[in-house]
Amino acid sequence: PLPFDHLEAVKCLEKCGEFYAQEGRWSMAAKNMKEIAEIYEKEASFDKAMAAYEKAAEYYEGDNAP
């Protein structure tokens, strides 16, 4: 297990990611989602990790949108 409250960390990272996405800062939103995915991966919550990686990919694509 991780040495911190991973659920609280995920909540904070999700809020930050939502804020960055609303501001159009896609790469920052993507980095937060990637961090969430890595937390879930370390906790062996692979379905949640995959969903977070997919969301990160969507945000990275938004960064390259015209």
Side-chain angles (χ1 to χ4, degrees):
L2 297 173
F4 58 88
D5 183 354
H6 68 280
L7 294 177
E8 190 64 31
V10 166
K11 285 182 198 175
C12 291
L13 288 166
E14 284 176 339
K15 283 186 178 186
C16 288
E18 289 170 11
F19 171 78
Y20 285 132
Q22 289 173 355
E23 294 296 312
R25 298 185 64 192
W26 304 113
S27 63
M28 291 301 296
K31 286 177 187 178
N32 281 359
M33 291 309 298
K34 183 177 178 274
E35 187 72 27
I36 291 169
E38 290 170 353
I39 290 170
Y40 282 137
E41 200 172 351
K42 288 176 185 168
E43 286 291 311
S45 296
F46 298 115
D47 289 340
K48 290 180 180 179
M50 182 60 77
Y53 279 126
E54 288 171 355
K55 190 70 172 176
E58 288 175 21
Y59 284 151
Y60 278 124
E61 287 175 4
D63 200 34
N64 293 323

